[in-house]
Amino acid sequence: MGLFRTAGRAAVAGSVVGRVQRRQQQRFAAEDALAAAPPVVAATPLAGPSQPSSMDATDHKLVQLKQLGELRVAGVLTEEEFQGEKTKILAL
């Protein structure tokens, strides 16, 4: 009787270990996929009436240029689009 109990416990333990390993592999694969994916940049308007009144025009331009640069780095904007938008911001 003791041999069957030991065999049963070993089978249950093996099953638990297998499930834990599969769960860890799935978690690691998901983390790797997130790390390999380009960062998601929220679509924000580059110019608009919703600018905070506490910012002066220069600070607002700097924030817009920073967002524009982040969009270019993320691959959302091409170099030509970036240059065009940058010219518009600096002309204001």
Side-chain angles (χ1 to χ4, degrees), residues 48-84:
S50 63
Q51 66 183 0
S53 60
S54 63
M55 284 184 158
D56 67 349
T58 304
D59 288 341
H60 186 66
K61 285 183 182 182
L62 290 175
V63 169
Q64 287 180 320
L65 289 171
K66 181 179 177 195
Q67 290 174 346
L68 192 63
E70 290 171 355
L71 290 173
R72 182 184 58 160
V73 169
V76 176
L77 295 176
T78 64
E79 186 64 33
E80 293 80 23
E81 292 170 329
F82 171 77
Q83 291 299 331

Side-chain angles (χ1 to χ4, degrees), residues 5-47:
R5 187 180 318 170
T6 303
R9 287 181 182 172
V12 170
S15 174
V16 170
V17 168
R19 277 185 276 155
V20 169
Q21 285 178 341
R22 280 190 296 280
R23 208 173 317 138
Q24 286 177 339
Q25 288 173 347
Q26 289 172 348
R27 186 181 319 143
F28 293 148
E31 289 174 0
D32 289 344
L34 284 176
V40 177
V41 179
T44 56
L46 296 177

